[in-house]
Amino acid sequence: MPKYNAVTDSVRKELQEIVGAKYVLSDAERMEPYSHDEVTDPKYVKLPEVVVFPENAKEIAAIVTLANREMIPIVPRGAGTGLASGAVPFKGGIVVSLERMNKILEIDTETMFMVVEPGVTTAEVQKAANERGFLYAGDPCSGDSSFIGGNVATNAGGNKAIRYGTTRQQVNGVELVTPEGDIVTFGGKCKKDATGYSLLNLVIGSEGTLGIITKAYLKLVALPENAMDLLAVFPDLKSAIDIVPKINAAGITPTTIEFMDNEAIKTVEVFLSEKLPHSDKGYYIIVTVEGDNEETLEDQCGLIDDLCTQNGALEVLVADPVKIWKARKAYAEADRARSLIFSMEDIVVPVNQIPQAVEKIAELGKKYGNIAIHCAGHAGDGNIHANILKDHMSEDEWHQKLPALQGEIYQMVYELGGKLSGEHGIGYKRVKLLEEYADPTEIKLMRNIKKAFDPNLIMNPGKVIEV
């Protein structure tokens, strides 16, 4: 890693000339919200030297050019809803917040694309698409507040990934300010593109290490006329998780198959002050099916009901979509209310290995002194969120037990053919872990890509891959 320079008064003055004095922050109190994302452990907090709020790609290009000249790190930042400390300035430098770039630039109903700036929230994109009779299928649990730019930078997954795919499948092009200050567009509105390497797909999921996304071309699909949500409640972990591959193999393509274990349900119930079905001993599987033919949907729901009943479900309910999704999306917030410090693991395994993974995680929690580990997630694509709660452990006990527990979890995940992260990304939290568990050739190629894009290594340094 190169030696970086500090942000001087003269650099701050140049930044003010680029974006305007009111859009440059340098006092600690106002910069504090930009010192962390949703990770609450104090070791993942670092105050920026300066925060800037550009209005367009041209201003960002000028900031990046200045940073290259002065050898100052740059950290791109969206809404700060990340869970891997990917937008925290651990090497110091300039945080480039994209809050002002919040316009929907175009909704092209003929080619079915929406063109947006990176600071538009996912919810705003979905609402605008729905109003035109379309669907934007990206649906992370943080969609009410997360920015599209952050979704693209992390290849966010979410609740509808089984049917529609992750953010990568929703994006057809980006405008990018490169780490050397050039403005370039990869992709666009063409449905097909075999023109050289797919630089677009390198940028998607690169977590701000290969440039700053300043525009995104989003795919739209026809808005389904009908949707039905089912809540299947199971008496134990095994019968709940075992139903997932059976639903997937039944000839149905659900939009969603979500999972919540019993401890997660109880914690959410307390957090929302709202009674949830069978919260005393139930394990939830939430299934959503969508389509234009209501009769077909009812047949599919009937088949899912039969499969769940045969697998030992206590009850299968047609769920109130508002209530059940409020509970599911409150999962992380509820755990944070119970334990301000917790580690959210974002593991992913092949779908047929979900039962083994979740059962092993439960066993490991008991092995390490009954540490509370709450599991929920996108069971239909193997993405399990396991929240390890500090609760009332001392700092010393937490920092002693957590790495050992994580190590056993990751070892198990890779033995099952899985990966460290399904959708939250590597960020800063998992840099060392990626190097430990990924193939050395993979790491070498990632480093080469990073150096090719960012020869001065100023763009979000210390994230994803160390060079």
Side-chain angles (χ1 to χ4, degrees):
M1 192 67 69
K3 185 181 187 320
Y4 298 112
N5 294 319
V7 175
T8 63
D9 287 341
S10 63
V11 169
R12 288 188 183 88
K13 184 176 180 181
E14 283 194 62
L15 291 171
Q16 291 173 351
E17 290 171 355
I18 293 169
V19 300
K22 66 183 287 190
Y23 298 117
V24 177
L25 299 183
S26 56
D27 59 288
E29 185 176 353
R30 294 175 68 194
M31 290 194 299
E32 190 282 331
Y34 302 90
S35 67
H36 58 86
D37 60 7
E38 291 295 316
V39 180
T40 50
D41 191 320
K43 74 178 183 179
Y44 295 116
V45 176
K46 181 70 161 57
L47 199 68
E49 293 179 75
V50 66
V51 182
V52 296
F53 303 86
E55 187 179 25
N56 52 52
K58 185 178 178 181
E59 290 183 355
I60 293 176
I63 294 165
V64 174
T65 300
L66 168 61
N68 266 286
R69 188 191 78 208
E70 299 293 334
M71 279 298 293
I72 296 172
I74 285 183
V75 179
R77 184 181 175 93
T81 58
L83 291 158
S85 302
V88 182
F90 293 105
K91 306 291 184 182
I94 304 166
V95 168
V96 178
S97 173
L98 300 165
E99 294 169 59
R100 293 177 67 205
M101 297 180 65
N102 58 3
K103 300 180 187 66
I104 295 175
L105 301 173
E106 181 184 6
I107 301 177
D108 187 337
T109 58
E110 292 183 345
T111 61
M112 296 175 67
F113 283 108
M114 185 186 298
V115 185
V116 302
E117 292 183 326
V120 181
T121 66
T122 315
E124 288 170 336
V125 168
Q126 291 167 337
K127 181 174 182 289
N130 292 168
E131 288 172 350
R132 299 292 188 95
F134 295 106
L135 172 70
Y136 172 69
D139 191 29
C141 283
S142 61
D144 288 346
S145 53
S146 64
F147 289 173
I148 284 293
N151 291 177
V152 179
T154 58
N155 187 29
N159 306 311
K160 296 180 179 178
I162 307 174
R163 178 168 181 173
Y164 297 107
T166 62
T167 299
R168 192 180 302 280
Q169 282 72 50
Q170 321 308 326
V171 179
N172 215 62
V174 297
E175 179 184 81
L176 184 81
V177 174
T178 74
E180 295 185 278
D182 297 315
I183 301 173
V184 62
T185 297
F186 300 143
K189 293 184 181 180
C190 292
K191 293 287 188 180
K192 297 172 72 176
D193 184 358
T195 314
Y197 298 138
S198 180
L199 298 177
L200 169 64
N201 279 297
L202 275 177
V203 170
I204 298 171
S206 64
E207 302 184 47
T209 63
L210 301 182
I212 301 178
I213 295 164
T214 53
K215 191 183 295 183
Y217 294 77
L218 307 178
K219 299 176 186 176
L220 303 176
V221 297
L223 183 65
E225 292 185 10
N226 301 290
M228 296 184 71
D229 296 277
L230 296 180
L231 171 62
V233 186
F234 291 87
D236 54 66
L237 176 66
K238 182 169 173 49
S239 60
I241 297 299
D242 278 350
I243 195 61
V244 176
K246 294 178 181 179
I247 293 173
N248 282 331
I252 303 168
T253 305
T255 301
T256 296
I257 307 179
E258 297 288 293
F259 166 70
M260 294 177 71
D261 73 10
N262 185 249
E263 288 302 316
I265 294 164
K266 289 177 179 176
T267 303
V268 167
E269 186 176 60
V270 170
F271 177 70
L272 296 177
S273 300
E274 195 170 309
K275 178 66 179 171
L276 297 174
H278 295 281
S279 58
D280 54 337
K281 59 180 181 179
Y283 292 74
Y284 286 0
I285 294 291
I286 305 164
V287 184
T288 302
V289 290
E290 294 178 334
D292 295 331
N293 188 306
E294 191 170 359
E295 187 175 335
T296 300
L297 287 190
E298 289 176 354
D299 290 343
Q300 291 178 344
C301 289
L303 176 55
I304 293 169
D305 188 343
D306 290 343
L307 290 170
C308 292
T309 301
Q310 292 165 18
N311 215 56
L314 299 170
E315 190 172 12
V316 181
L317 307 166
V318 176
D320 177 343
V322 174
K323 183 174 181 178
I324 197 60
W325 283 110
K326 179 182 178 184
R328 168 62 187 90
K329 292 185 176 184
Y331 159 67
E333 197 174 355
D335 275 345
R336 186 175 292 108
R338 170 172 160 172
S339 176
L340 181 60
I341 295 176
F342 69 93
S343 180
M344 178 180 275
E345 306 304 324
D346 175 45
I347 59 175
V348 60
V349 296
V351 172
N352 65 338
Q353 301 295 337
I354 296 171
Q356 293 92 318
V358 176
E359 287 170 7
K360 182 65 174 177
I361 289 169
E363 291 172 11
L364 288 171
K366 293 175 183 176
K367 174 182 174 180
Y368 282 86
N370 290 319
I371 291 178
I373 307 179
H374 300 167
C375 287
H378 316 300
D381 56 21
N383 191 186
I384 303 163
H385 299 314
N387 286 357
I388 306 170
L389 276 61
K390 177 177 177 290
D391 272 350
H392 303 296
M393 274 187 279
S394 69
E395 291 291 327
D396 287 345
E397 188 180 8
W398 171 249
H399 291 300
Q400 178 185 2
K401 287 185 174 182
L402 180 62
L405 172 57
Q406 289 173 318
E408 291 207 49
I409 290 175
Y410 304 144
Q411 187 64 43
M412 173 269 296
V413 166
Y414 274 79
E415 288 172 357
L416 294 176
K419 298 284 186 179
L420 286 171
S421 176
E423 60 184 11
H424 294 166
I426 300 301
Y428 177 78
K429 273 185 70 175
R430 301 184 180 95
V431 170
K432 299 300 183 186
L433 294 168
L434 180 67
E435 189 165 337
E436 180 179 352
Y437 288 98
D439 186 288
T441 300
E442 210 177 350
I443 295 294
K444 181 178 74 173
L445 291 171
M446 288 185 193
R447 286 185 173 133
N448 289 341
I449 290 167
K450 171 65 174 173
K451 287 187 284 187
F453 268 76
D454 185 11
N456 284 329
L457 304 179
I458 65 160
M459 191 62 67
N460 213 8
K463 317 297 170 52
V464 183
I465 194 82
E466 289 275 16
V467 180

